[in-house]
Amino acid sequence: MEEKVLGLKCRECDRKYPKEPIHVCEFCFGPLEVDYNYETIQKSISRKSIERGPTNLWRYIDLLPIDGEPTDGLNTGFTPLIRAKNLEAALGVRELYVKDDSVCHPTLSFKDRVVSVTLSKAKEFGFDTVACASTGNLANSVAANAAVANFDCFIFIPADLEMAKIVASLVYVPTVVGIMGTYDDVNRLCSEIAGVYPWAFANINTRPFYSEGSKTFCYEIIEQLGWETPDHIIVPAAGGSLVTKVGKALKEFHILGLIDEPKTKIHVAQAEGCGPIVTTLKENSDFVKPVRQPNSIAKSLAIGNPADGIYAAATVRNSGGRGEHTTDEEIVDAIKLLAATEGIFTETAGGVTLAATQKLIESGQIGRDESIIVGITGNGLKTIEALDGKVSEPHVIQPQLNAFRKLMKTL
């Protein structure tokens, strides 16, 4: 039987490579991606075969790059798609959904999707140690899932990361290394380490396989909409991989005959203090200009030199979508709005996404009568510091009924 994965191929020059833990073309230095045999996949995949699958991301195993049975991430995926009626009313739109990846995942972020694929593939390659460079959520996910999978684990992060995210990695007892510098400094060092130590670095040498897990975010949306595609999907961007994989997921489901030709516009959201992909789109540039010193409360998105930046911009352009920046104040307001309307507490990245959605609606880039998906990728408990001084204080009274009556008169 023909294999579903032919190997890897360069995204720039299309040069072919075998299925190995490599990520850069040795001829043009372009990034590598998984090369699927869609003719073979089409023989085994259908809506019914997917619906019969497990209620996790591995229901889409035919479109994920592992050769055997999945070994990790068995509790990851198939997160809620919520019809947000209260938020619809607040924004003045007809049909809006929240794809909530801040719940139902082991570490409460969509990074559990990519890590599930990475660790399953790392076992197939025979690695005994996994590692990553991270702005927080990936660190939490690699540490947690490595503990379950019995890998040794090294986590590299900017030293000034939010304390909640540092603790949420340390608790799984990996080796955590804080780097005095930006995420790009961390990533640069990790690229050097990956060339010396025989480890599976999630977002470096195994990146072609790792990034494929992001597709399941969009696969689920389509299936949960009854095999229909929305008019708009808005997602945040750090390195830009999720944006590109939303585009790839739509394309693959159409190629395989699972959906009609999609007309979905893909929009990207970033913070003003670190939004190089959005800047590229707004300036209609062919290049992504790196941000040397990110400055935003949305630290999980603070990647100044995004690895998939130019591909993310192209994905948005080709779909007819837009990019939008948000200020720190807008991010906080959006976090509070989502909590007050839908009872969903998102981290700062979700605040960026919802704030950008508001601006796109107000500017007419997203029609008020069109279907809208807002991607929430992480839980607010991870970035609670962002709300310091931004929410009201509790009322403190004596344990007496009269004291409560007095309080009621002031409310």
Side-chain angles (χ1 to χ4, degrees), residues 85-405:
K85 293 281 191 177
N86 293 334
L87 190 55
E88 287 173 355
L91 300 183
V93 297
R94 177 181 60 83
E95 185 180 357
L96 187 145
Y97 301 83
V98 172
K99 177 59 174 171
D100 189 6
D101 257 27
S102 72
V103 295
C104 303
H105 281 161
T107 66
L108 306 181
S109 92
F110 99 101
K111 289 295 186 181
D112 287 322
R113 296 180 184 275
V114 293
V115 171
S116 298
V117 176
T118 303
L119 298 196
S120 290
K121 197 63 189 177
K123 284 184 178 176
E124 290 185 350
F125 283 137
F127 286 106
D128 59 14
T129 302
V130 294
C132 71
S134 175
T135 55
N137 285 331
L138 179 59
N140 298 167
S141 184
V142 170
N145 285 285
V148 177
N150 295 311
F151 281 104
D152 289 334
C153 181
F154 286 78
I155 301 296
F156 299 86
I157 56 175
D160 66 348
L161 206 59
E162 298 101 332
M163 184 52 64
K165 286 185 176 176
I166 296 175
V167 171
S169 291
L170 288 169
V171 71
Y172 304 110
V173 203
T175 300
V176 176
V177 182
I179 308 300
M180 303 298 292
T182 66
Y183 169 81
D184 294 304
D185 296 319
V186 177
N187 193 53
R188 196 158 38 245
L189 174 60
C190 286
S191 294
E192 295 177 24
I193 294 171
V196 176
Y197 291 84
W199 301 344
F201 265 89
N203 48 350
I204 300 176
N205 57 352
T206 60
R207 186 178 181 87
F209 307 96
Y210 151 96
S211 62
E212 291 293 290
S214 294
K215 297 186 302 185
T216 62
F217 181 83
C218 187
Y219 293 156
E220 289 176 16
I221 290 170
I222 296 168
E223 186 180 352
Q224 289 167 325
L225 287 175
W227 300 99
E228 297 290 337
T229 54
D231 296 316
H232 303 273
I233 295 179
I234 306 93
V235 292
S241 180
L242 176 58
V243 179
T244 67
K245 297 311 179 188
V246 167
K248 188 172 184 179
L250 290 164
K251 180 180 179 181
E252 287 180 331
F253 266 20
H254 177 240
I255 288 173
L256 295 169
L258 299 173
I259 58 173
D260 295 332
E261 184 175 2
K263 305 295 184 183
T264 304
K265 293 181 180 179
I266 303 167
H267 307 275
V268 60
Q270 291 191 299
E272 271 188 5
C274 188
I277 299 171
V278 171
T279 298
T280 297
L281 289 163
K282 286 180 174 288
E283 295 179 352
N284 198 26
S285 174
D286 293 328
F287 303 96
V288 176
K289 183 179 179 181
V291 175
R292 299 302 178 190
Q293 292 296 328
N295 181 24
S296 171
I297 61 171
K299 292 186 178 182
S300 64
L301 303 183
I303 296 181
N305 190 16
D308 287 288
I310 199 64
Y311 304 105
T315 297
V316 172
R317 282 196 190 107
N318 292 340
S319 75
R322 295 289 187 273
E324 191 57 77
H325 288 125
T326 60
T327 66
D328 284 357
E329 183 179 1
E330 290 167 341
I331 295 167
V332 170
D333 287 345
I335 291 171
K336 292 162 69 175
L337 175 64
L338 184 61
T341 55
E342 298 299 331
I344 296 170
F345 185 19
T346 181
E347 67 168 0
T348 49
V352 170
T353 308
L354 180 53
T357 301
Q358 290 177 270
K359 294 172 102 171
L360 290 166
I361 292 168
E362 290 164 4
S363 67
Q365 301 296 335
I366 293 178
R368 294 184 183 273
D369 290 329
E370 297 175 314
S371 56
I372 306 163
I373 306 290
V374 178
I376 300 301
T377 53
N379 195 285
L381 294 173
K382 293 168 171 280
T383 59
I384 200 165
E385 299 98 326
L387 295 179
D388 284 349
K390 308 291 185 181
V391 292
S392 61
E393 296 290 330
H395 301 283
V396 179
I397 63 172
Q398 293 296 324
Q400 299 164 356
L401 179 56
N402 283 340
F404 181 68
R405 284 174 171 161

